[in-house]
Amino acid sequence: MSAASQDALLLLRQSIAAEQPMVPVASLDSTQEAALSTATHLRLVHPQPTVLPLEASTRFTVNDFKVPVDLRSIYFAWVNRDLLIPEYNAAATQLNEQLAASGSGATVHKLTFVERVNLITWIEGGGESEYIKPMPGEKDAGSATTEALKSSSAPTAAAARSGRGTLDPRLQVIYAGERKMGDRNSILRGAKLVDFSGVRKSAVIFMNKKAANPAPTNNPALSLNQKPSRAVHPIILLSPSASSLIRLSNARAFLEESKYEPAKTDYDSSMIHILHHMRDIDANRPMRFILVESVEQFKPEYWNRVVAVFTTGQPWQFKNYKWSQPQELFRHVMGVHVGWRGEQPPDNVRNWGHRVQCFSIDKWREPGAPGAEASRFRDREVVEAIWKRIETGMKAKGWKRDQAPASI
């Protein structure tokens, strides 16, 4: 029996493509559907009757392809594919609490937004996934998947013509290679999930204003001319450490003008504003970012607007943060470390993993020194890479032109 015929991910994908039922059950021999908090196996009837343990590891991996995700988490993500990020996280937390109460020791892995969209797209017939490891003996994850799907779709195409005559063998081969091109995700909103909760919030504000200030009968459009709500600006936290290469005194020149210059020691401002075009979020105007080194004046809701934390690798920087432990902090916010080219990042930064992005700039040379002017031409490349990472993270968390995410 081939590895593809027993692969949990492929069996799940084939069953969904054929619109066949998948039932969580409480034991290997049971046929009665059970809650996911008490189920131990997943029973499938296509392409052949199979019972798979929910604790089985799959080829879908996270954390730089080191941690395989179990079948329970994959099935849970698929069943809750239409939930928004906060709702999905809340449902996963509730299920983990139920699993803990049952004493099974099982847990559901909370996939990030990008991981979940990638998984759902692949299950629904999308191309190769960067999170899915290839099978043993296969060069890539797509070859075995393609063959398995073709073998399972051929009888389905023939069965669909039941009672309408014999299908020409050549047409059967063509039908076997067909791929379903449209579903409610791709037709209505594409493969990427879109958060429409902001529309509801805007409607509530509009209706409240309209009820409080009814328009005169001779000017029914007056209520439509209300001033828009104040824009919510994203926040970037800088390290207050004296060893940090990026401080408030030189952040504007670096992030706005793409030119590094040493930080000043006598700079007394506590906050600066910079502008940058985030074209995938707002193509018409630049976004205003607030840069601060201290969180003493932070309100709780400000943390939902933090899009990046610049760090030197010193944990004391996070003492007064909402998430004071680095591992927890960088699960919510992207970390940025800027160091000299040719030098290794600090051990702490490397231990915190891929959620802290490391960037290297050329060492500063005093004006007049040999090569001083030429040494700064690569600053723009580094700054553009930093902004690209920040923009990707903002899009994934649901940032809109005038709206911050409800939670991060």
Side-chain angles (χ1 to χ4, degrees), residues 84-137:
L84 301 178
I85 297 174
E87 297 169 349
Y88 166 78
N89 290 335
T93 300
Q94 182 180 8
L95 179 56
N96 280 333
E97 292 174 352
Q98 294 172 351
L99 289 169
S102 67
S104 64
T107 58
V108 167
H109 182 88
K110 294 181 183 178
L111 300 179
T112 65
F113 177 83
V114 175
E115 293 165 352
R116 190 158 62 110
V117 171
N118 190 290
L119 172 65
I120 293 171
T121 301
W122 183 86
I123 288 179
E124 291 181 341
E128 299 176 10
S129 169
E130 59 178 310
Y131 294 97
I132 298 179
K133 286 186 174 181
M135 293 183 182

Side-chain angles (χ1 to χ4, degrees), residues 91-404:
T93 300
Q94 182 180 8
L95 179 56
N96 280 333
E97 292 174 352
Q98 294 172 351
L99 289 169
S102 67
S104 64
T107 58
V108 167
H109 182 88
K110 294 181 183 178
L111 300 179
T112 65
F113 177 83
V114 175
E115 293 165 352
R116 190 158 62 110
V117 171
N118 190 290
L119 172 65
I120 293 171
T121 301
W122 183 86
I123 288 179
E124 291 181 341
E128 299 176 10
S129 169
E130 59 178 310
Y131 294 97
I132 298 179
K133 286 186 174 181
M135 293 183 182
E138 297 290 340
K139 292 184 179 180
D140 55 66
S143 57
T145 299
T146 302
E147 293 302 320
L149 288 177
K150 284 184 178 180
S151 63
S152 66
S153 59
T156 303
R161 294 184 53 86
S162 178
R164 292 185 285 172
T166 303
L167 185 65
D168 186 281
R170 290 172 297 178
L171 286 178
Q172 184 170 343
V173 173
I174 295 174
Y175 286 143
E178 281 187 342
R179 194 178 85 183
K180 188 177 180 181
M181 299 301 295
D183 57 22
R184 60 180 181 179
N185 284 333
S186 60
I187 293 175
L188 295 179
R189 59 189 180 190
K192 180 179 179 180
L193 298 177
V194 180
D195 183 4
F196 291 105
S197 60
V199 178
R200 182 175 65 251
K201 296 177 181 178
S202 299
V204 171
I205 296 174
F206 173 76
M207 296 304 294
N208 289 341
K209 288 183 177 180
K210 185 175 181 180
N213 302 293
T217 55
N218 61 345
N219 190 7
L222 184 60
S223 59
L224 298 177
N225 296 325
Q226 301 288 344
K227 291 184 179 180
S229 58
R230 186 177 179 181
V232 178
H233 304 306
I235 298 172
I236 295 176
L237 295 178
L238 301 180
S239 171
S241 172
S243 64
S244 177
L245 299 186
I246 308 301
R247 301 287 304 275
L248 285 176
S249 60
N250 64 349
R252 187 188 305 280
F254 185 67
L255 294 175
E256 213 173 46
E257 302 172 11
S258 300
K259 181 179 179 181
Y260 176 79
E261 57 188 34
K264 301 175 182 178
T265 57
D266 57 349
Y267 196 78
D268 59 356
S269 176
S270 61
M271 177 179 64
I272 63 171
H273 291 225
I274 64 174
L275 298 175
H276 186 77
H277 257 111
M278 313 297 275
R279 301 189 184 279
D280 288 345
I281 299 177
D282 186 358
N284 299 320
R285 60 184 180 183
M287 295 188 71
R288 182 181 298 273
F289 289 77
I290 300 174
L291 276 65
V292 296
E293 290 182 347
S294 172
V295 297
E296 291 180 357
Q297 305 299 325
F298 256 44
K299 296 180 181 179
E301 61 269 23
Y302 287 2
W303 285 103
N304 293 334
R305 295 160 51 187
V306 177
V307 296
V309 174
F310 281 66
T311 179
T312 59
Q314 297 168 296
W316 61 260
Q317 174 186 346
F318 320 126
K319 179 180 178 181
N320 296 323
Y321 283 18
K322 178 180 180 180
W323 303 285
S324 59
Q325 296 300 317
Q327 291 80 3
E328 180 67 16
L329 170 66
F330 296 124
R331 276 198 288 266
H332 296 274
V333 186
M334 184 190 78
V336 177
H337 175 266
V338 178
W340 297 128
R341 194 179 305 277
E343 295 183 1
Q344 286 286 342
D347 291 341
N348 279 343
V349 172
R350 286 181 288 174
N351 292 337
W352 292 337
H354 69 282
R355 292 184 176 89
V356 180
Q357 304 294 323
C358 296
F359 302 90
S360 299
I361 59 176
D362 292 320
K363 290 188 176 181
W364 170 256
R365 300 181 184 180
E366 292 293 336
E373 294 299 328
S375 66
R376 302 261 57 95
F377 77 97
R378 286 191 290 193
D379 288 350
R380 180 173 298 276
E381 178 182 354
V382 175
V383 172
E384 288 178 355
I386 293 174
W387 280 119
K388 187 62 179 177
R389 291 283 189 174
I390 293 176
E391 183 175 22
T392 300
M394 292 176 65
K395 286 176 58 181
K397 292 182 183 301
W399 271 90
K400 303 295 188 296
R401 183 175 63 183
D402 295 313
Q403 180 187 343

Side-chain angles (χ1 to χ4, degrees), residues 22-100:
M22 301 175 293
V23 181
V25 293
S27 66
L28 182 64
D29 301 324
S30 175
T31 58
Q32 297 295 322
E33 182 173 0
L36 201 54
S37 59
T38 58
T40 59
H41 292 76
L42 185 66
R43 182 176 292 276
L44 301 93
V45 298
H46 182 86
Q48 67 270 344
T50 308
V51 181
L52 301 172
L54 288 171
E55 299 304 316
S57 298
T58 69
R59 292 182 294 114
F60 192 89
T61 56
V62 296
N63 296 337
D64 290 339
F65 308 99
K66 295 179 181 179
V67 180
V69 179
D70 61 284
L71 180 59
R72 187 192 304 271
S73 301
I74 298 293
Y75 178 75
F76 176 80
W78 164 253
V79 171
N80 296 283
R81 60 192 178 279
D82 293 328
L83 295 183
L84 301 178
I85 297 174
E87 297 169 349
Y88 166 78
N89 290 335
T93 300
Q94 182 180 8
L95 179 56
N96 280 333
E97 292 174 352
Q98 294 172 351
L99 289 169

